[in-house]
Structures are given as structure tokens and as C-alpha cells.
Amino acid sequence: MSAVKLSILSVVEYLEELANYLWNRPSPARSTRLSDPTRRAILQMLNERDMTAGEIAARFAISAPSVSHHLSVLKAADLVTAERRGQHIDLSPECNRVARGA
């Protein structure tokens, strides 16, 4: 009976370690989303200060829909958050994922 308890404990410990590994490993999708230089530039700007989509779009020579697409990708990857303030939506880096000043 004790051998059975030992093996069950071993399985539980293994599953806990596996869950921890899977939870903390880098996401390939997140890395792919950061491979675009425009998205990296957006994150760098947001690390300096929160901005609206219009402020971000003004700094790029691409269409507003393209900027909106890049922001959507960053939001889907949980790298950027959006918070409504009156008529404006402030965008900021998700602090748990992107270190300010990095």
C-alpha cells in the first residue's frame, strides 16, 4: 500500500512541475508578435508613457488601420492594456509582461 501512495505522490509532484513549466515558459506566439519592428517600437513608446492610438499613429508613416491592427495584436498577446478615460482610450504596457524602462 505504501508503494502505491509513493507513486501517486510522485505523479502529483510530476504534474505540478509540468504545470509550472507550461505556465512559465515563453510563448512562441508572443515572440512572433514581437518580431515586427512596428510593434516593438509601439511598446518602446508605451514604456516611456501611456498614449492614445492617435498619438501612436501620428509617429508612424503607416495608415491608421495598420496601427490599429498592430495594437490589436499587442492587446491579444496581453502586452498592452487599454483604459477608457472620457472620450480617449489610453494604452499602456501590461506591467506584468513588459517591464517599464527596459
Side-chain angles (χ1 to χ4, degrees):
M1 185 90 168
S2 63
V4 173
K5 286 182 182 178
L6 180 60
S7 65
I8 291 173
L9 288 175
S10 297
V11 169
V12 169
E13 289 172 353
Y14 170 76
L15 291 175
E16 287 175 350
E17 286 183 31
L18 179 61
N20 188 37
Y21 166 76
L22 292 174
W23 184 259
N24 293 315
R25 72 181 173 160
S27 167
R30 191 170 291 122
S31 299
T32 302
R33 291 176 180 140
L34 286 175
S35 65
D36 186 281
T38 301
R39 290 193 276 270
R40 287 194 309 270
I42 290 170
L43 283 175
Q44 285 179 329
M45 291 187 317
L46 291 176
N47 272 334
E48 294 171 12
R49 68 178 183 89
D50 295 352
M51 302 176 81
T52 64
E55 291 173 317
I56 293 169
R59 295 190 181 190
F60 292 96
I62 58 176
S63 68
S66 293
V67 171
S68 179
H69 169 74
H70 287 299
L71 291 172
S72 295
V73 170
L74 291 171
K75 285 190 267 185
D78 292 329
L79 294 169
V80 170
T81 58
E83 184 177 339
R84 180 171 289 282
R85 295 187 192 271
Q87 293 182 341
H88 300 284
I89 298 175
D90 287 335
L91 299 157
S92 59
E94 177 56 57
C95 293
N96 294 334
R97 307 250 188 252
V98 181
R100 284 196 181 264

